[in-house]
Each structure stands twice: as C-alpha cells, then as structure tokens.
Amino acid sequence: MASILCTGLNPSRLTQSQGIIISSGGHLVFYAPSTRSQTMAKRKPANTESRVRTTVNAPTSTGNSLAALRSAAKGCRNCELWKDATQTVFGEGPARARVLVVGEQPGNEEDLQGRPFVGPAGKLFDKAVAELGLDRSAMYVTNAVKHFRFEMRGKFRLHRSPTSAHVRACHVWLEGELRRVKPDIVVCLGAIAAKAVFGSGFGLMRERGTWQELPGGARGFATVHPSWVLRQRDSASREQAYRDFVADLELLVESRS
C-alpha cells in the first residue's frame, strides 16, 4: 500500500551567494546570481492576477508510462504560469514507489533545475527523512502545481502561492502520477497539497499527522511544508517546528511495522 507525504534548513546557513536571503520578516527571498537567473529577472511576469482558465485541456494521448505523461506535461498551457516559468517541473522517483510525496509548487531552484525538492525546503525534507532512517530516493516526489509562481522585486523572484484555479489546472498531471505510480502512502506537504489530495474541506493544522483513507485502498497524511518551518521567526521556533514536522513524518516509520 502506498503513502503520500506533504512537507520545507537552517536560515543561518543560507547566504546570498547560494541564491537565498532571509528577509527581516522571516520570508524566504530567492536571488538569481547566475547568468541564467539574471536573464529570468529581466523578464516581466505576466499579470498573475488575471483570471486563470478553468477549462483544463487534458492530454489526448500520453500512454501508460510516467515518461509519456512527463513529456505531455512539458507543453502544458492550462494556466498562465508557463509564460514566466523556466520550465515544467514534473515529479521524479521510482515508477512503483511505495510512498508518493506531494508538495505545493516548484521554488526558485526547482524552476531553474527542472527537478522537485532541490531547494532549501527540499533539503530540509531530506534531513528529516534521513533522521528517521528513510531513503528519499525510494520515494516519488512531485508538486500539486508544476510551474513556479512568483513576482519580481528588483532582481529577486519572490514566491507567490498558487491559487485554487492553478491547482485545478494542474490536477490532470497529479492525478496521472497517482494513477501510474499507485503508491500505498501519499504524504502531503502543506495546505495546498493536502487540499489537492484530500479535498477542499481538509484543515491542515487540525488534521496534520493523522491517517486519511484514499480511493483504491491507499492512505495518506499531511504535515506542514518545510518552507513553513524555515519561515519561523527565530531559531527556537524553527527548532520546535522542525521537531513537530519530524514527528508527523514518523507515521512513515510506523507504517513499515
């Protein structure tokens, strides 16, 4: 049976040279120091307040493989986010993974590299998983939304949460991944991922760390996104948030016994 996990380093270790700055308000700010990133910074993002098209064009023929689905997703135009993102960031991991992890959307690093969970939040997730003796490479990791939503502030690309319309526009890809991987457990990181999997009525802080039944015999649970842990106001708060995050993920350990 497969599980889905929903999850976000020590801000003191993040520097501008790494492309990340922690603002005085505790928010993650992504800086684009590379030539490629500077080019992205010059691009004016589309009007992200414009209405997202709600008529989703599902791929007409993707075959039954994840590779075919990934190829089809590269050309996704179901909402406006593709216009300013570098590329589609599709999921990765074993095609028959027991655990499938769903995040919210790609961040700055994910957008540039084209891979999920490679930025600060992804590294924190890796740390938590390793602490529990689990192997992230055995998990399939993806996001509810496949393009990076951001706004420019000078040279900085500031993360903006995707809307429910963006999630609906991308749901065809997440649904396709779930159908092909057939995980036993689904882990949702953050409220956006949790609502995409468990429904709009799911309350993250009320129901985090508890098993939820899913169609087809799978089950899942949700926890906070690792980026939420990183945004806590001080080191003591971040440490407590991290310990609670790890405690939620311990359900994965219990599920093996």
Side-chain angles (χ1 to χ4, degrees), residues 9-21 29-34 37 108-109 112-113 118-120 123:
L9 293 161
N10 184 345
S12 64
R13 296 185 180 180
L14 303 177
T15 66
Q16 182 167 338
S17 63
Q18 292 173 293
I20 304 99
I21 295 175
V29 176
F30 299 96
Y31 179 65
S34 67
S37 299
N108 186 71
E109 286 302 313
L112 295 175
Q113 296 185 38
V118 295
K123 289 181 172 61

Side-chain angles (χ1 to χ4, degrees), residues 67-130:
L69 190 69
R70 178 182 293 107
S71 179
K74 288 181 180 179
C76 182
R77 300 293 185 268
N78 285 335
C79 75
E80 86 287 358
L81 295 184
W82 68 272
K83 296 177 181 178
D84 299 301
T86 305
Q87 57 197 312
T88 301
V89 180
F90 202 74
E92 67 177 26
R96 289 293 180 266
R98 174 176 174 269
V99 176
L100 189 152
V101 180
V102 184
E104 298 187 339
Q105 73 164 356
N108 186 71
E109 286 302 313
E110 289 83 2
D111 175 70
L112 295 175
Q113 296 185 38
R115 300 180 59 214
F117 290 81
V118 295
K123 289 181 172 61
L124 188 68
F125 175 63
D126 289 351
K127 176 185 174 182
V129 168

Side-chain angles (χ1 to χ4, degrees), residues 171-185:
H171 194 71
V172 63
W173 309 117
L174 177 60
E175 184 178 49
E177 289 173 302
L178 290 169
R179 189 166 59 248
R180 286 162 175 78
V181 177
K182 296 181 176 63
D184 294 329
I185 299 170

Side-chain angles (χ1 to χ4, degrees), residues 1 39 72 121 145 163 169 184 201 205-206 211:
M1 198 164 103
T39 300
V145 174
T163 68
D184 294 329
M205 302 313 284
R206 182 180 68 249
W211 287 111

